[in-house]
Amino acid sequence: MIGIIQKYKIVLILVACGLTLFGLAANQPHGFIVFCIPGILLGLLIYLTNFSNKPNSIAKNKSDTSADELLKWHQLKEDGIISDEEFKKKKLEILG
């Protein structure tokens, strides 16, 4: 469900705005119920699904940073700048 919302996000936003505006323009109570409320609910659904993806991207960036740092320390070990014990200690610190 979230994948569909993310894929057609722009279209769904336009539909939600159109439904809301059409419901507000209708001067009859059933117009508000039939168009405005579903438009608002659709907009709320899009808003809430947008937040559900952010923690995953933050976690992914953190793991990329850990991998980059581990590669940097490995290169220092390979160049002979740090000892094998220092590398193992730093590796445990980064991964643990």
Side-chain angles (χ1 to χ4, degrees), residues 12-13 16-17 20 37-49:
L12 291 173
I13 289 171
C17 291
T20 304
I37 293 175
I40 292 170
L41 291 176
L42 182 60
L44 183 63
L45 180 68
I46 294 167
Y47 178 76
L48 292 175
T49 57

Side-chain angles (χ1 to χ4, degrees), residues 70-88:
L70 194 58
L71 284 172
K72 179 183 81 170
W73 283 95
H74 179 27
Q75 187 63 41
L76 290 173
K77 183 188 83 156
E78 293 296 316
D79 292 341
I81 298 172
I82 61 171
S83 68
D84 194 39
E85 290 90 26
E86 289 173 316
F87 173 71
K88 287 180 183 177

Side-chain angles (χ1 to χ4, degrees), residues 28 30-31 48 63 90:
Q28 300 172 357
H30 71 277
L48 292 175
S63 67
K90 195 63 177 178

